Amino acid sequence: MKYFILVACLLISILVQAQDLKMNVLSIQAQSIGGDVSYGGYFKGNGYGFNYSRYVGKKLFADIGYGYYQYNGSGDSTVFVNRKTEEALWNMRHIRFGMGYDILKSNRLTLKGKVGALLLTNNLVDEIWDSGGEITLRSTKRITDKTIELGLLGDYSLGDGWSAVAELSRGMGLQRYKTSSVKLGVAYSF
């Protein structure tokens, strides 16, 4: 029982210290993504996302993000591009896990570098069967793409824990997509 009380007191003191130092950052962002598809063509999308960062040191932080894009793609063969009836609104999702470091910090502006794993999922045409030149079956499925993402984030303090954020990032294209993205939003530190 003594150990339980000791661990509980330690956890509470860490949480209280985190609140005093404003080590948590929650943001909402408008996002735009575009890139090349490894088998030919390109894609683009606009959407929104949520991000949570937690400082684990004076300048080092862990980062997780989740969001949606309206995916629009074009390939060499238009038969494999989704029709409007096959697409849903906000049909591409992303999840990001990573780490970051405060590179430059002044009174109001902080420049951060980020590296992480990016997971993109979206619907694509999976298979097409035809008979005598006529399509008899056309099926879609959700595909997943994993890659490494590098980014630069600017954080401009507006006061009272609020800040404006802008991020430029590049996905390396390890599987299907080589991406570039721009994110603009607001963040709250607590």
Side-chain angles (χ1 to χ4, degrees), residues 102-175:
D102 292 351
I103 299 170
L104 176 70
K105 194 168 194 166
S106 68
N107 288 342
R108 296 185 73 96
L109 181 66
T110 304
L111 180 65
K112 305 173 184 189
K114 293 169 65 171
V115 62
L118 173 65
L119 176 75
L120 292 169
T121 63
N122 66 302
N123 283 336
L124 288 179
V125 175
D126 179 37
E127 61 183 335
I128 297 174
W129 293 6
D130 67 27
S131 175
E134 225 169 285
I135 295 175
T136 58
L137 174 72
R138 188 178 155 95
S139 69
T140 60
K141 76 172 188 177
R142 185 156 285 281
I143 59 98
T144 301
D145 182 64
K146 300 173 199 93
T147 192
I148 302 296
E149 185 180 52
L150 302 173
L152 280 176
L153 174 79
D155 186 323
Y156 184 77
S157 175
L158 302 172
D160 292 332
W162 291 96
S163 60
V165 292
E167 181 179 347
L168 297 172
S169 57
R170 181 81 172 147
M172 298 294 113
L174 301 179
Q175 287 183 322

Side-chain angles (χ1 to χ4, degrees), residues 21-179:
L21 298 177
K22 296 193 179 205
M23 296 179 73
N24 301 293
V25 180
L26 189 60
S27 66
I28 184 167
Q29 302 164 335
Q31 308 177 118
S32 183
I33 191 170
D36 297 323
V37 182
S38 62
Y39 52 81
Y42 65 92
F43 77 98
K44 61 184 175 182
N46 296 310
Y48 61 94
F50 305 95
N51 204 62
Y52 173 74
S53 298
R54 165 91 178 156
Y55 278 87
V56 294
K58 188 170 179 153
K59 294 184 172 194
L60 185 68
F61 60 91
D63 188 58
I64 184 170
Y66 184 79
Y68 293 93
Y69 296 105
Q70 177 59 42
Y71 172 88
N72 293 304
S74 175
D76 292 337
S77 172
T78 55
V79 112
F80 286 100
V81 175
N82 283 348
R83 296 179 182 144
K84 291 294 179 195
T85 57
E86 295 169 330
E87 290 187 5
L89 190 61
W90 311 116
N91 54 0
M92 180 181 249
R93 292 182 221 144
H94 82 270
I95 300 172
R96 292 184 301 123
F97 302 96
M99 298 291 289
Y101 187 79
D102 292 351
I103 299 170
L104 176 70
K105 194 168 194 166
S106 68
N107 288 342
R108 296 185 73 96
L109 181 66
T110 304
L111 180 65
K112 305 173 184 189
K114 293 169 65 171
V115 62
L118 173 65
L119 176 75
L120 292 169
T121 63
N122 66 302
N123 283 336
L124 288 179
V125 175
D126 179 37
E127 61 183 335
I128 297 174
W129 293 6
D130 67 27
S131 175
E134 225 169 285
I135 295 175
T136 58
L137 174 72
R138 188 178 155 95
S139 69
T140 60
K141 76 172 188 177
R142 185 156 285 281
I143 59 98
T144 301
D145 182 64
K146 300 173 199 93
T147 192
I148 302 296
E149 185 180 52
L150 302 173
L152 280 176
L153 174 79
D155 186 323
Y156 184 77
S157 175
L158 302 172
D160 292 332
W162 291 96
S163 60
V165 292
E167 181 179 347
L168 297 172
S169 57
R170 181 81 172 147
M172 298 294 113
L174 301 179
Q175 287 183 322
R176 180 175 281 114
Y177 302 130
K178 183 181 275 189
T179 63

Side-chain angles (χ1 to χ4, degrees), residues 177-189:
Y177 302 130
K178 183 181 275 189
T179 63
S180 297
S181 63
V182 176
K183 301 172 185 101
L184 299 171
V186 294
Y188 183 70
S189 300

